[in-house]
Protein backbone atom coordinates (compact mmCIF):
# COMPACT_ATOMS: atom_id res chain seq x y z
CA UNK A 1 0.00 0.00 0.00
CA UNK A 2 1.33 3.44 -0.91
CA UNK A 3 1.42 5.75 2.10
CA UNK A 4 1.57 9.53 2.41
CA UNK A 5 2.13 11.83 5.39
CA UNK A 6 1.09 15.44 4.81
CA UNK A 7 2.17 18.11 7.31
CA UNK A 8 0.34 21.39 7.76
CA UNK A 9 0.93 24.31 10.11
CA UNK A 10 -1.76 26.96 10.10
CA UNK A 11 -0.12 30.38 9.82
CA UNK A 12 -3.34 32.36 9.60
CA UNK A 13 -6.71 32.37 7.87
CA UNK A 14 -7.88 29.22 6.12
CA UNK A 15 -5.70 28.59 3.09
CA UNK A 16 -3.08 26.38 4.74
CA UNK A 17 -5.67 24.00 6.17
CA UNK A 18 -7.88 24.32 3.06
CA UNK A 19 -5.14 23.38 0.60
CA UNK A 20 -3.78 20.52 2.71
CA UNK A 21 -7.23 19.05 3.20
CA UNK A 22 -8.02 19.28 -0.51
CA UNK A 23 -4.65 17.75 -1.39
CA UNK A 24 -5.21 14.88 1.07
CA UNK A 25 -8.57 14.07 -0.52
CA UNK A 26 -7.14 14.31 -4.03
CA UNK A 27 -4.24 11.96 -3.32
CA UNK A 28 -6.59 9.51 -1.67
CA UNK A 29 -8.99 9.64 -4.62
CA UNK A 30 -6.36 9.76 -7.35
CA UNK A 31 -5.94 6.01 -7.73
CA UNK A 32 -9.70 5.68 -8.23
CA UNK A 33 -9.70 8.53 -10.74
CA UNK A 34 -6.91 6.90 -12.71
CA UNK A 35 -8.93 3.70 -13.04
CA UNK A 36 -11.98 5.68 -14.14
CA UNK A 37 -9.96 7.24 -16.97
CA UNK A 38 -8.13 4.08 -18.13
CA UNK A 39 -8.25 3.45 -21.91
CA UNK A 40 -11.00 1.13 -23.13
CA UNK A 41 -8.73 -1.89 -23.47
CA UNK A 42 -7.95 -1.69 -19.77
CA UNK A 43 -11.57 -0.97 -18.94
CA UNK A 44 -12.47 -4.38 -20.41
CA UNK A 45 -11.21 -5.81 -17.15
CA UNK A 46 -13.87 -3.86 -15.24
CA UNK A 47 -16.64 -5.84 -13.60
CA UNK A 48 -19.88 -5.98 -15.63
CA UNK A 49 -21.78 -4.86 -12.56
CA UNK A 50 -20.50 -2.12 -10.34
CA UNK A 51 -21.21 -4.20 -7.20
CA UNK A 52 -18.91 -7.00 -8.33
CA UNK A 53 -15.52 -6.77 -6.73
CA UNK A 54 -12.25 -7.67 -8.39
CA UNK A 55 -9.27 -9.23 -6.69
CA UNK A 56 -6.83 -6.56 -5.63
CA UNK A 57 -3.94 -5.93 -8.00
CA UNK A 58 -5.95 -6.22 -11.26
CA UNK A 59 -5.95 -3.27 -13.65
CA UNK A 60 -9.37 -2.12 -12.44
CA UNK A 61 -8.86 -2.18 -8.70
CA UNK A 62 -7.23 1.00 -7.51
CA UNK A 63 -4.13 0.32 -5.44
CA UNK A 64 -4.98 1.25 -1.86
CA UNK A 65 -3.51 4.52 -0.68
CA UNK A 66 -3.13 5.60 2.93
CA UNK A 67 -3.11 9.30 3.66
CA UNK A 68 -2.34 10.85 7.06
CA UNK A 69 -2.73 14.58 7.60
CA UNK A 70 -0.83 16.06 10.55
CA UNK A 71 -2.14 19.52 11.41
CA UNK A 72 -1.49 21.88 14.31
CA UNK A 73 -4.92 23.58 14.34
CA UNK A 74 -7.81 21.13 14.24
CA UNK A 75 -10.29 23.89 15.08
CA UNK A 76 -9.40 25.71 11.88
CA UNK A 77 -9.76 22.54 9.83
CA UNK A 78 -13.13 21.84 11.47
CA UNK A 79 -14.47 25.07 9.94
CA UNK A 80 -13.90 23.53 6.52
CA UNK A 81 -14.73 19.95 7.47
CA UNK A 82 -17.65 20.02 9.90
CA UNK A 83 -17.52 16.21 10.49
CA UNK A 84 -14.19 16.71 12.22
CA UNK A 85 -14.05 16.65 16.02
CA UNK A 86 -11.29 19.08 17.06
CA UNK A 87 -11.05 17.48 20.51
CA UNK A 88 -9.77 14.19 19.05
CA UNK A 89 -6.04 13.83 18.38
CA UNK A 90 -6.63 10.97 15.92
CA UNK A 91 -9.61 10.39 13.66
CA UNK A 92 -10.54 8.93 10.30
CA UNK A 93 -12.59 11.34 8.17
CA UNK A 94 -13.58 10.84 4.54
CA UNK A 95 -10.82 8.27 4.12
CA UNK A 96 -8.10 10.47 5.64
CA UNK A 97 -6.38 9.91 9.00
CA UNK A 98 -6.38 13.33 10.60
CA UNK A 99 -3.79 13.58 13.36
CA UNK A 100 -2.90 16.38 15.77
CA UNK A 101 0.60 17.69 14.94
CA UNK A 102 2.18 16.73 18.32
CA UNK A 103 1.36 13.07 17.73
CA UNK A 104 3.88 12.98 14.87
CA UNK A 105 6.79 12.75 17.33
CA UNK A 106 5.42 9.39 18.50
CA UNK A 107 5.09 7.87 15.03
CA UNK A 108 7.48 4.91 14.72
CA UNK A 109 7.32 4.56 10.97
CA UNK A 110 6.97 7.62 8.74
CA UNK A 111 5.19 7.05 5.43
CA UNK A 112 6.90 6.31 2.12
CA UNK A 113 6.10 9.78 0.87
CA UNK A 114 6.19 12.79 3.16
CA UNK A 115 4.74 16.12 2.01
CA UNK A 116 5.62 19.19 4.01
CA UNK A 117 3.28 22.04 3.13
CA UNK A 118 4.76 25.51 2.71
CA UNK A 119 8.08 24.75 4.43
CA UNK A 120 6.35 24.10 7.76
CA UNK A 121 9.37 22.28 9.34
CA UNK A 122 8.66 18.73 10.43
CA UNK A 123 8.91 17.72 14.10
CA UNK A 124 12.55 16.73 14.66
CA UNK A 125 11.80 13.30 16.17
CA UNK A 126 9.76 12.47 13.07
CA UNK A 127 12.34 13.62 10.55
CA UNK A 128 15.06 11.60 12.30
CA UNK A 129 13.00 8.45 11.69
CA UNK A 130 12.47 9.17 8.00
CA UNK A 131 15.69 7.63 6.57
CA UNK A 132 15.03 3.97 5.82
CA UNK A 133 11.29 4.49 5.87
CA UNK A 134 10.57 7.47 3.62
CA UNK A 135 11.36 7.17 -0.09
CA UNK A 136 10.49 10.72 -1.03
CA UNK A 137 10.23 14.04 0.79
CA UNK A 138 8.44 16.89 -0.91
CA UNK A 139 7.97 20.50 0.05
CA UNK A 140 4.71 21.78 -1.42
CA UNK A 141 5.23 25.47 -2.13
CA UNK A 142 2.86 28.43 -2.51
CA UNK A 143 1.20 29.07 -5.85
CA UNK A 144 2.87 31.64 -8.07
CA UNK A 145 2.86 32.53 -11.76
CA UNK A 146 6.36 34.04 -11.58
CA UNK A 147 8.86 32.74 -14.18
CA UNK A 148 11.46 31.47 -11.71
CA UNK A 149 8.95 28.86 -10.48
CA UNK A 150 9.44 26.96 -13.77
CA UNK A 151 13.15 26.62 -12.98
CA UNK A 152 12.80 25.78 -9.31
CA UNK A 153 10.01 23.24 -9.60
CA UNK A 154 11.32 19.74 -8.89
CA UNK A 155 14.75 20.76 -7.57
CA UNK A 156 16.14 18.88 -4.55
CA UNK A 157 17.98 20.20 -1.50
CA UNK A 158 19.96 18.07 0.98
CA UNK A 159 18.54 18.04 4.52
CA UNK A 160 20.23 17.46 7.93
CA UNK A 161 18.79 13.91 8.13
CA UNK A 162 20.64 13.03 4.91
CA UNK A 163 17.54 12.90 2.71
CA UNK A 164 16.84 15.14 -0.23
CA UNK A 165 13.76 17.34 -0.10
CA UNK A 166 12.19 18.23 -3.46
CA UNK A 167 10.46 21.54 -4.13
CA UNK A 168 7.06 21.06 -5.69
CA UNK A 169 5.55 24.27 -7.03
CA UNK A 170 1.90 24.56 -8.01
CA UNK A 171 1.59 26.75 -11.09
CA UNK A 172 0.00 27.69 -14.35
CA UNK A 173 2.45 26.12 -16.82
CA UNK A 174 3.32 22.60 -17.92
CA UNK A 175 6.73 22.95 -16.23
CA UNK A 176 5.19 23.36 -12.76
CA UNK A 177 3.10 21.15 -10.48
CA UNK A 178 -0.22 22.48 -11.85
CA UNK A 179 -3.40 23.27 -9.94
CA UNK A 180 -5.67 21.21 -7.69
CA UNK A 181 -8.74 20.11 -9.68
CA UNK A 182 -11.00 17.06 -9.44
CA UNK A 183 -11.69 15.32 -12.77
CA UNK A 184 -15.45 15.41 -12.20
CA UNK A 185 -15.55 19.09 -11.20
CA UNK A 186 -16.81 20.41 -14.53
CA UNK A 187 -19.55 17.79 -14.69
CA UNK A 188 -20.65 18.71 -11.17
CA UNK A 189 -20.63 22.40 -12.04
CA UNK A 190 -22.70 21.87 -15.19
CA UNK A 191 -25.19 19.61 -13.40
CA UNK A 192 -25.57 22.19 -10.64
CA UNK A 193 -26.17 25.01 -13.10
CA UNK A 194 -28.64 22.97 -15.17
CA UNK A 195 -30.95 22.56 -12.20
CA UNK A 196 -32.52 26.01 -11.67
CA UNK A 197 -33.81 25.14 -8.18
CA UNK A 198 -30.22 24.84 -7.00
CA UNK A 199 -29.78 28.59 -6.97
CA UNK A 200 -32.92 29.15 -4.87
CA UNK A 201 -31.91 26.29 -2.59
CA UNK A 202 -28.50 27.90 -2.11
CA UNK A 203 -30.07 31.24 -1.17
CA UNK A 204 -32.33 29.51 1.35
CA UNK A 205 -29.38 27.63 2.87
CA UNK A 206 -27.60 30.95 3.26
CA UNK A 207 -30.69 32.37 5.05
CA UNK A 208 -30.93 35.21 2.58
CA UNK A 209 -33.77 37.57 3.54
CA UNK A 210 -36.78 38.18 1.25
CA UNK A 211 -35.71 41.75 0.33
CA UNK A 212 -32.33 40.55 -0.97
CA UNK A 213 -33.95 37.59 -2.75
CA UNK A 214 -36.47 39.88 -4.40
CA UNK A 215 -33.60 42.12 -5.50
CA UNK A 216 -31.91 39.14 -7.17
CA UNK A 217 -35.19 38.06 -8.80
CA UNK A 218 -35.38 41.55 -10.30
CA UNK A 219 -31.98 41.11 -11.96
CA UNK A 220 -29.57 42.50 -9.38
CA UNK A 221 -25.98 41.26 -9.76
CA UNK A 222 -25.23 38.39 -7.40
CA UNK A 223 -21.75 38.98 -5.99
CA UNK A 224 -19.65 36.86 -3.63
CA UNK A 225 -17.19 38.94 -1.65
CA UNK A 226 -14.51 36.79 -0.02
CA UNK A 227 -11.62 39.13 0.74
CA UNK A 228 -9.40 40.35 3.54
CA UNK A 229 -10.35 42.91 6.16
CA UNK A 230 -8.80 45.75 4.21
CA UNK A 231 -10.77 45.03 1.02
CA UNK A 232 -12.12 48.35 -0.32
CA UNK A 233 -15.79 47.41 0.07
CA UNK A 234 -17.15 50.97 0.07
CA UNK A 235 -15.46 51.62 -3.29
CA UNK A 236 -16.94 48.40 -4.62
CA UNK A 237 -20.42 49.60 -3.68
CA UNK A 238 -19.81 53.04 -5.19
CA UNK A 239 -18.51 51.45 -8.42
CA UNK A 240 -21.67 49.38 -8.82
CA UNK A 241 -23.81 52.44 -8.19
CA UNK A 242 -21.75 54.44 -10.70
CA UNK A 243 -22.65 52.09 -13.51
CA UNK A 244 -26.32 52.14 -12.51
CA UNK A 245 -26.46 48.48 -11.50
CA UNK A 246 -28.27 46.84 -8.61
CA UNK A 247 -26.44 44.20 -6.64
CA UNK A 248 -26.61 41.86 -3.69
CA UNK A 249 -23.18 41.32 -2.20
CA UNK A 250 -22.79 38.18 -0.09
CA UNK A 251 -19.99 38.35 2.43
CA UNK A 252 -18.98 35.21 4.38
CA UNK A 253 -18.74 36.16 8.06
CA UNK A 254 -19.45 39.41 9.90
CA UNK A 255 -19.71 42.72 8.03
CA UNK A 256 -17.85 45.92 8.77
CA UNK A 257 -20.00 48.32 10.87
CA UNK A 258 -19.10 51.20 8.59
CA UNK A 259 -21.32 49.74 5.88
CA UNK A 260 -24.50 49.60 7.98
CA UNK A 261 -26.68 51.42 5.45
CA UNK A 262 -26.34 48.61 2.92
CA UNK A 263 -27.16 46.00 5.52
CA UNK A 264 -30.66 47.34 6.08
CA UNK A 265 -33.87 46.08 4.49
CA UNK A 266 -34.62 49.20 2.42
CA UNK A 267 -35.66 47.91 -0.93
CA UNK A 268 -34.79 51.18 -2.68
CA UNK A 269 -31.16 50.68 -1.74
CA UNK A 270 -29.53 49.58 -5.03
CA UNK A 271 -26.67 47.68 -3.45
CA UNK A 272 -27.41 45.34 -0.57
CA UNK A 273 -24.67 43.82 1.52
CA UNK A 274 -25.40 40.62 3.42
CA UNK A 275 -23.39 38.49 5.80
CA UNK A 276 -23.67 34.78 4.98
CA UNK A 277 -22.69 31.79 7.08
CA UNK A 278 -19.48 29.95 6.40
CA UNK A 279 -20.10 26.75 4.41
CA UNK A 280 -18.16 23.45 4.40
CA UNK A 281 -15.34 23.37 1.86
CA UNK A 282 -17.21 20.77 -0.12
CA UNK A 283 -20.02 23.30 -0.69
CA UNK A 284 -17.83 26.33 -1.29
CA UNK A 285 -17.92 25.88 -5.08
CA UNK A 286 -21.68 26.42 -5.13
CA UNK A 287 -21.16 29.94 -3.74
CA UNK A 288 -18.93 30.65 -6.75
CA UNK A 289 -21.14 28.91 -9.31
CA UNK A 290 -24.22 30.78 -8.08
CA UNK A 291 -22.71 34.29 -8.49
CA UNK A 292 -22.34 36.65 -11.45
CA UNK A 293 -19.10 38.05 -10.04
CA UNK A 294 -16.73 36.54 -7.49
CA UNK A 295 -14.21 38.24 -5.25
CA UNK A 296 -11.72 35.63 -4.03
CA UNK A 297 -8.49 35.73 -2.06
CA UNK A 298 -5.38 33.83 -0.94
CA UNK A 299 -4.74 30.69 -2.93
CA UNK A 300 -7.40 27.99 -2.74
CA UNK A 301 -10.43 30.20 -3.40
CA UNK A 302 -8.52 31.79 -6.29
CA UNK A 303 -8.13 28.41 -7.97
CA UNK A 304 -11.75 27.50 -7.30
CA UNK A 305 -12.72 30.87 -8.78
CA UNK A 306 -10.83 29.96 -11.96
CA UNK A 307 -12.67 26.66 -12.25
CA UNK A 308 -16.01 28.42 -11.69
CA UNK A 309 -15.50 30.35 -14.95
CA UNK A 310 -17.22 33.48 -13.67
CA UNK A 311 -15.79 37.01 -13.77
CA UNK A 312 -13.47 37.13 -10.79
CA UNK A 313 -11.36 39.62 -8.85
CA UNK A 314 -8.49 38.30 -6.72
CA UNK A 315 -7.27 39.86 -3.50
CA UNK A 316 -3.75 38.54 -3.06
CA UNK A 317 -2.32 37.72 0.39
CA UNK A 318 -0.09 40.64 1.23
CA UNK A 319 3.62 40.07 1.87
CA UNK A 320 6.41 42.20 3.34
CA UNK A 321 8.09 44.69 1.01
CA UNK A 322 5.18 44.49 -1.43
CA UNK A 323 6.45 41.17 -2.85
CA UNK A 324 2.82 40.39 -3.63
CA UNK A 325 2.70 43.19 -6.20
CA UNK A 326 5.21 41.26 -8.36
CA UNK A 327 3.24 38.07 -7.83
CA UNK A 328 -0.03 39.72 -8.83
CA UNK A 329 1.49 41.20 -11.98
CA UNK A 330 2.91 37.79 -12.96
CA UNK A 331 -0.53 36.25 -12.50
CA UNK A 332 -2.16 38.95 -14.62
CA UNK A 333 0.52 38.62 -17.31
CA UNK A 334 -0.29 34.92 -17.80
CA UNK A 335 -4.03 35.55 -17.93
CA UNK A 336 -6.15 36.29 -21.00
CA UNK A 337 -8.19 38.89 -19.03
CA UNK A 338 -9.20 42.18 -20.69
CA UNK A 339 -6.92 45.13 -19.81
CA UNK A 340 -9.68 46.92 -17.87
CA UNK A 341 -10.07 43.86 -15.63
CA UNK A 342 -6.32 43.71 -15.00
CA UNK A 343 -6.47 47.37 -14.01
CA UNK A 344 -9.36 46.63 -11.65
CA UNK A 345 -7.40 43.84 -9.98
CA UNK A 346 -4.36 46.06 -9.52
CA UNK A 347 -6.59 48.78 -8.04
CA UNK A 348 -8.41 46.28 -5.78
CA UNK A 349 -5.01 45.25 -4.38
CA UNK A 350 -3.82 48.82 -3.85
CA UNK A 351 -1.01 48.79 -6.42
CA UNK A 352 0.33 52.29 -7.03
CA UNK A 353 -0.58 54.30 -10.12
CA UNK A 354 -4.01 52.77 -10.62
CA UNK A 355 -7.38 54.50 -10.95
CA UNK A 356 -9.76 54.42 -7.96
CA UNK A 357 -11.48 51.05 -7.44
CA UNK A 358 -14.96 52.46 -8.14
CA UNK A 359 -13.84 53.95 -11.48
CA UNK A 360 -12.00 50.75 -12.48
CA UNK A 361 -14.99 48.62 -11.49
CA UNK A 362 -17.46 50.75 -13.43
CA UNK A 363 -15.29 50.27 -16.53
CA UNK A 364 -14.96 46.52 -16.04
CA UNK A 365 -18.72 46.17 -15.58
CA UNK A 366 -19.59 48.01 -18.81
CA UNK A 367 -21.69 45.55 -20.86
CA UNK A 368 -19.05 44.92 -23.58
CA UNK A 369 -16.25 44.39 -21.11
CA UNK A 370 -18.34 42.17 -18.87
CA UNK A 371 -19.04 39.91 -21.87
CA UNK A 372 -15.32 39.78 -22.74
CA UNK A 373 -14.46 39.16 -19.11
CA UNK A 374 -16.85 36.21 -18.98
CA UNK A 375 -15.45 34.77 -22.24
CA UNK A 376 -11.85 35.19 -21.10
CA UNK A 377 -12.60 33.27 -17.90
CA UNK A 378 -14.03 30.44 -19.96
CA UNK A 379 -11.01 30.44 -22.33
CA UNK A 380 -8.64 30.48 -19.40
CA UNK A 381 -10.45 27.58 -17.79
CA UNK A 382 -10.26 25.58 -21.04
CA UNK A 383 -6.55 26.19 -21.34
CA UNK A 384 -5.74 25.30 -17.72
CA UNK A 385 -8.09 22.35 -17.45
CA UNK A 386 -6.48 20.84 -20.57
CA UNK A 387 -3.38 20.18 -18.46
CA UNK A 388 -3.07 17.47 -15.79
CA UNK A 389 -4.15 18.50 -12.29
CA UNK A 390 -1.78 18.86 -9.33
CA UNK A 391 -2.46 15.47 -7.70
CA UNK A 392 -1.83 13.67 -11.02
CA UNK A 393 1.45 15.53 -11.50
CA UNK A 394 2.44 14.95 -7.90
CA UNK A 395 1.91 11.20 -8.15
CA UNK A 396 3.84 11.09 -11.43
CA UNK A 397 6.62 13.02 -9.74
CA UNK A 398 6.60 10.51 -6.87
CA UNK A 399 6.80 7.62 -9.32
CA UNK A 400 9.80 9.23 -11.08
CA UNK A 401 11.70 10.28 -7.98
CA UNK A 402 10.91 7.53 -5.47
CA UNK A 403 13.99 5.66 -4.53
CA UNK A 404 16.29 8.50 -5.51
CA UNK A 405 16.25 9.41 -1.80
O1 LIG B 1 -7.99 32.03 3.92
P1 LIG B 1 -7.07 32.48 2.87
O2 LIG B 1 -6.76 33.89 2.85
O3 LIG B 1 -5.77 31.64 2.94
C1 LIG B 1 -4.48 32.01 2.80
C2 LIG B 1 -3.85 32.24 4.08
O4 LIG B 1 -3.70 33.59 4.27
C3 LIG B 1 -2.62 31.45 4.17
O5 LIG B 1 -1.86 31.77 5.28
C4 LIG B 1 -1.81 31.61 2.92
O6 LIG B 1 -0.90 30.62 3.01
C5 LIG B 1 -2.65 31.36 1.68
O7 LIG B 1 -3.80 32.17 1.69
C6 LIG B 1 -1.90 31.68 0.41
O8 LIG B 1 -7.66 32.11 1.41
P2 LIG B 1 -7.80 30.74 0.62
O9 LIG B 1 -6.47 30.20 0.24
O10 LIG B 1 -8.72 31.00 -0.47
O11 LIG B 1 -8.47 29.74 1.63
C7 LIG B 1 -9.81 29.83 2.01
C8 LIG B 1 -10.40 28.45 2.21
O12 LIG B 1 -11.66 28.56 2.84
C9 LIG B 1 -10.63 27.72 0.89
O13 LIG B 1 -10.27 26.36 1.03
C10 LIG B 1 -12.14 27.82 0.70
C11 LIG B 1 -12.61 27.79 2.13
N1 LIG B 1 -13.97 28.31 2.39
C12 LIG B 1 -14.94 27.42 2.77
O14 LIG B 1 -14.70 26.22 2.82
N2 LIG B 1 -16.18 27.90 3.07
C13 LIG B 1 -16.50 29.23 2.98
O15 LIG B 1 -17.66 29.59 3.27
C14 LIG B 1 -15.48 30.12 2.58
C15 LIG B 1 -15.81 31.58 2.45
C16 LIG B 1 -14.21 29.63 2.29
Amino acid sequence: MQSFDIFCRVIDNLGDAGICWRLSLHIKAQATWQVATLPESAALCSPAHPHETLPSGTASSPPPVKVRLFIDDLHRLALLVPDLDPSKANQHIQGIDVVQWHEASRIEQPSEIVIEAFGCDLPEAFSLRMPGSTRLWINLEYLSAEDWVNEWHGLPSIQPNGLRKFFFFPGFTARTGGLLREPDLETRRKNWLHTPENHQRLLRTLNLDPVARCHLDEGALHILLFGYRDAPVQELITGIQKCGRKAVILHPGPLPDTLKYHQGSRHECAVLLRSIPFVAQHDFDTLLWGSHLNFVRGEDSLVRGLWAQRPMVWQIYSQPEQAHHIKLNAFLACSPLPESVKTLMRAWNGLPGQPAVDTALAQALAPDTLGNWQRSMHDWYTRLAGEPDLATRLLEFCAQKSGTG
Side-chain angles (χ1 to χ4, degrees):
M1 171 176 325
Q2 222 182 0
S3 59
F4 292 80
D5 285 335
I6 300 176
F7 281 82
C8 174
R9 258 190 227 272
V10 174
I11 305 296
D12 59 8
N13 304 325
L14 298 152
D16 309 291
I19 289 164
C20 292
W21 176 246
R22 210 182 276 291
L23 177 68
S24 305
L25 292 175
H26 283 203
I27 291 176
K28 180 77 190 170
Q30 189 62 31
T32 321
W33 295 342
Q34 276 168 1
V35 170
T37 54
L38 277 178
E40 248 176 61
S41 54
L44 288 176
C45 307
S46 322
H49 302 288
H51 323 289
E52 279 177 33
T53 49
L54 285 168
S56 64
T58 61
S60 294
S61 61
V65 173
K66 192 169 156 39
V67 181
R68 262 191 310 216
L69 171 62
F70 294 91
I71 180 162
D72 66 345
D73 189 343
L74 288 164
H75 289 274
R76 202 73 65 108
L77 184 59
L79 286 172
L80 307 168
V81 189
D83 311 353
L84 191 98
D85 178 350
S87 68
K88 287 192 185 155
N90 268 287
Q91 57 205 298
H92 191 73
I93 306 274
Q94 297 175 34
I96 311 297
D97 290 318
V98 182
V99 186
Q100 165 51 252
W101 179 279
H102 300 298
E103 298 289 307
S105 305
R106 294 203 248 159
I107 297 287
E108 289 301 327
Q109 191 176 9
S111 288
E112 285 172 290
I113 295 165
V114 171
I115 302 175
E116 175 182 339
F118 315 125
C120 64
D121 281 338
L122 305 184
E124 197 186 357
F126 182 92
S127 64
L128 289 174
R129 292 193 190 114
M130 284 167 64
S133 186
T134 296
R135 289 193 287 126
L136 189 66
W137 183 1
I138 289 174
N139 185 49
L140 175 73
E141 289 288 343
Y142 288 111
L143 172 64
S144 174
E146 290 164 278
D147 273 350
W148 61 267
V149 164
N150 291 302
E151 312 302 327
W152 279 65
H153 174 63
L155 291 183
S157 86
I158 294 284
Q159 299 300 303
N161 64 1
L163 294 183
R164 290 191 300 169
K165 178 160 75 174
F166 289 86
F167 294 106
F168 192 92
F169 280 88
F172 300 88
T173 69
R175 292 171 63 200
T176 65
L179 301 167
L180 284 166
R181 175 176 44 83
E182 308 81 37
D184 65 343
L185 181 61
E186 182 57 1
T187 311
R188 285 198 288 119
R189 188 187 75 92
K190 284 189 173 149
N191 288 344
W192 192 89
L193 290 172
H194 284 155
T195 311
E197 302 83 66
N198 280 339
H199 192 245
Q200 288 306 323
R201 199 173 300 137
L202 172 69
L203 300 180
R204 277 199 302 276
T205 319
L206 298 175
N207 295 324
L208 203 64
D209 57 281
V211 172
R213 277 163 63 177
C214 177
H215 224 49
L216 289 173
D217 289 344
E218 289 167 4
L221 281 174
H222 176 160
I223 298 177
L224 175 72
L225 173 57
F226 183 43
Y228 296 112
R229 245 177 246 180
D230 59 349
V233 184
Q234 182 55 64
E235 286 87 333
L236 162 65
I237 294 170
T238 313
I240 297 167
Q241 288 166 335
K242 262 191 181 170
C243 54
R245 302 290 304 250
K246 287 184 169 188
V248 176
I249 303 175
L250 304 185
H251 179 282
L255 292 163
D257 280 351
T258 45
L259 299 165
K260 273 266 177 302
Y261 173 73
H262 300 278
Q263 298 165 35
S265 56
R266 295 163 52 111
H267 193 264
E268 65 277 18
C269 188
V271 181
L272 299 175
L273 186 56
R274 295 291 186 261
S275 164
I276 54 167
F278 203 79
V279 300
Q281 192 188 55
H282 181 266
D283 299 321
F284 178 65
D285 291 313
T286 60
L287 298 183
L288 300 163
W289 299 339
S291 304
H292 299 113
L293 171 60
N294 289 311
F295 287 78
V296 291
R297 74 183 203 194
E299 184 168 324
D300 192 52
S301 59
L302 163 71
V303 175
R304 304 315 282 187
L306 285 169
W307 303 147
Q309 303 168 55
R310 293 280 193 217
M312 170 187 93
V313 178
W314 179 36
Q315 185 171 20
I316 190 167
Y317 182 77
S318 70
Q319 287 173 284
E321 294 168 21
Q322 320 287 25
H324 58 291
H325 289 187
I326 298 171
K327 209 169 156 180
L328 178 70
N329 280 325
F331 169 78
L332 294 175
C334 82
S335 83
L337 294 168
E339 273 314 312
S340 56
V341 173
K342 293 182 180 178
T343 302
L344 168 61
M345 269 201 232
R346 290 192 188 101
W348 184 249
N349 284 283
L351 267 63
Q354 307 302 315
V357 167
D358 51 352
T359 310
L361 183 74
Q363 278 167 9
L365 289 181
D368 277 3
T369 322
L370 191 57
N372 289 338
W373 191 357
Q374 175 63 63
R375 273 188 293 281
S376 66
M377 290 302 297
H378 177 72
D379 292 348
W380 202 4
Y381 164 80
T382 310
R383 195 210 303 160
L384 293 171
E387 300 290 337
D389 65 283
L390 189 143
T392 303
R393 295 192 207 191
L394 184 81
L395 294 191
E396 276 170 18
F397 187 82
C398 293
Q400 277 167 20
K401 303 282 181 198
S402 281
T404 61

